[in-house]
Amino acid sequence: MASEVQNRLAQLRKTRLVRDDSGSHRVYRNKTGDVFHSVTHILKETSPEHQQKALERWLARPGSEQARETAATRGTLAHNHAEYILKTGAKLARQTANKRNCWKASQDGLERCPGSITRWGIERAIQGAPRVSWSASGYARGLRGWIADNVTAIHSVEFSIHHDAGFAGTCDALIDIQGKGPFIVDWKTSARERTEDMIQNYIDQTGAYSLGLKSLTGIRPIGGFVVIARRTGAPQVRELSDLELRGAESRFLDRCETYFSDAAA
């Protein structure tokens, strides 16, 4: 019988908020009418001034709109590929673990089957995965390889979070890496390597997801990973320690305060 923590986590895969794109930016509403602003929008609006100016210059360049659409499509295809592998791998691992009755409850409230079964499920999922179009194939291959080499437990994929601080979003995955976890993981794509300054928003984004996850389920991730797929080769990986993830949570709450203060001004 699944634990209460496991049941609460499963509920996050069933979106309980209604997405509203009718305004100047996306928001989410619950049944009582409370409004939650998009995590990514809050990050965009509270980015350092030099980053915002760099984005404005890029958007003003000829062909930037087409480049933006291409990047968005590429990112979506790579994300979908990773999602398919994790969801299919989790399903196959769950079926096998159920037959063998080899689930074990952990102190964090999550249930795990042997990592070897999860790895087997992932490998089977990769073998049967739909082909990715040429434009995104290199990025998808990088994510696929990283998942196969590192993931040992799949707790949830593409789950929704929200928080009383007024934000909501969708996290890519909650997984174990090399037998340790759970970790918040966010997939990204980039043609070029990103500097630490350039991935600061990504880091703070994991903090937002961690806050929402803890608020709704009581699960406390032990760290995070930002995995940035490249056109060729292995992804660029930024691992966050437990302390760094707590710092990302704190910064994101500060950014929420700034965002809502500016909106009220």
Side-chain angles (χ1 to χ4, degrees), residues 10-81:
Q11 287 299 312
L12 299 189
R13 293 194 291 269
K14 304 173 183 178
T15 304
R16 291 174 288 177
L17 301 181
V18 177
R19 175 172 160 173
D20 182 357
D21 292 317
S22 62
S24 59
H25 60 273
R26 179 185 307 164
V27 297
Y28 301 86
R29 303 178 189 276
N30 62 14
K31 293 180 179 179
T32 59
D34 297 318
V35 177
F36 300 87
H37 292 243
S38 166
V39 167
T40 52
H41 182 71
I42 292 172
L43 290 168
K44 174 179 175 293
E45 292 299 309
T46 57
S47 293
E49 184 177 355
H50 70 278
Q51 291 184 2
Q52 294 192 27
K53 288 184 176 179
L55 177 60
E56 290 172 0
R57 289 195 298 271
W58 183 75
L59 293 175
R61 291 171 54 186
S64 66
E65 183 176 350
Q66 179 62 42
R68 190 164 67 252
E69 291 178 357
T70 299
T73 300
R74 175 191 73 205
T76 298
L77 291 172
H79 270 73
N80 289 348
H81 186 67

Side-chain angles (χ1 to χ4, degrees), residues 251-263:
R251 282 193 305 274
F252 188 78
L253 288 176
D254 288 344
R255 293 175 76 160
C256 282
E257 184 175 347
T258 299
Y259 172 80
F260 288 111
S261 295
D262 290 347

Side-chain angles (χ1 to χ4, degrees), residues 204-218:
D204 289 356
Q205 189 172 1
T206 65
Y209 295 149
S210 181
L211 286 166
L213 179 68
K214 285 194 296 183
S215 173
L216 296 169
T217 68

Side-chain angles (χ1 to χ4, degrees), residues 21 78 111 121 169-170 193-194 220 248 251 258:
D21 292 317
E111 298 169 350
T170 302
E193 185 173 352
R194 297 285 182 172
R220 177 188 170 100
R251 282 193 305 274
T258 299

